[in-house]
Amino acid sequence: MLTSTETKFLQRAITLSKQGMESGQGGPFGCVVVKNNEIVGEGNNKVTSSNDPTAHAEVVAIREACKKLNTYQLEGCDIYTSCEPCPMCLGAIYWARPGRVIYANTREEAAAIEFDDEFIYGEINAEMCDRKIPFIHVPDPAAKEIFTAWKNWADKKKY
């Protein structure tokens, strides 16, 4: 069960989903990033209005929060989203490393309104040769050299 403050943050994400949808910015998804009971990033889906397939609510909110906090990690933050994150957003969330994710609608409920990610979940686990979009591995010595240089680079900033 959520506290009244946590409920307020989830309701804000839901409000953003409605505002974005009604203003024609994109699908019905909203998200806020919270740190120390303060919203540090928020977003709604802007895929169709920005012609950016990565402009999902969670990605927009994560980008805003990272910019505001001047960091590429969201440790100590919570993400409140109007819907269970899609595979892309799930990846972004894990890279951002928040403390937890609180969501309202499920991915099954999203599928029922034609936002079905099961295809992508299946593609993630498919062998490269079985994927619907061909993935062609072309090893290159120069690319490998760069990885070796990174591995040995003393001044790298790990993430």
Side-chain angles (χ1 to χ4, degrees):
M1 213 62 200
L2 298 179
T3 68
S4 61
T5 301
E6 292 168 329
T7 299
K8 176 183 77 170
F9 295 134
L10 185 58
Q11 290 301 311
R12 176 63 182 155
I14 293 166
T15 296
L16 289 167
S17 73
K18 183 178 181 188
Q19 289 174 346
M21 176 189 72
E22 289 178 345
S23 67
Q25 291 184 327
F29 305 97
C31 180
V32 298
V33 178
V34 175
K35 184 166 188 168
N36 299 325
N37 286 325
E38 176 190 341
I39 294 175
V40 294
E42 61 181 30
N44 58 275
N45 183 290
K46 296 180 180 181
V47 169
T48 57
S49 62
S50 67
N51 293 320
D52 180 355
T54 69
H56 289 203
E58 295 88 344
V59 172
V60 172
I62 287 169
R63 288 175 179 164
E64 185 176 289
C66 288
K67 186 174 182 178
K68 181 174 182 175
L69 297 173
N70 195 32
T71 183
Y72 55 90
Q73 303 281 263
L74 295 177
E75 292 171 351
C77 295
D78 291 330
I79 293 178
Y80 294 82
T81 184
S82 65
C83 186
E84 182 177 351
C86 75
M88 178 185 69
C89 294
L90 185 63
I93 288 165
Y94 272 94
W95 282 116
R97 295 177 175 86
R100 61 189 180 146
V101 176
I102 299 92
Y103 63 95
N105 294 320
T106 66
R107 73 189 208 196
E108 292 80 14
E109 291 168 320
I113 62 164
E114 300 180 356
F115 288 94
D116 191 351
D117 297 325
E118 283 307 311
F119 168 75
I120 298 171
Y121 283 107
E123 288 289 287
I124 289 169
N125 294 318
E127 295 293 327
M128 290 293 188
C129 62
D130 294 330
R131 289 186 174 171
K132 303 296 183 227
I133 297 174
F135 280 69
I136 302 160
H137 180 214
V138 182
D140 187 294
K144 186 69 171 174
E145 285 176 25
I146 294 167
F147 271 20
T148 301
W150 173 261
K151 181 180 177 184
N152 297 322
W153 189 21
D155 294 334
K156 68 185 164 208
K157 189 173 188 178
K158 291 185 178 185
Y159 58 97

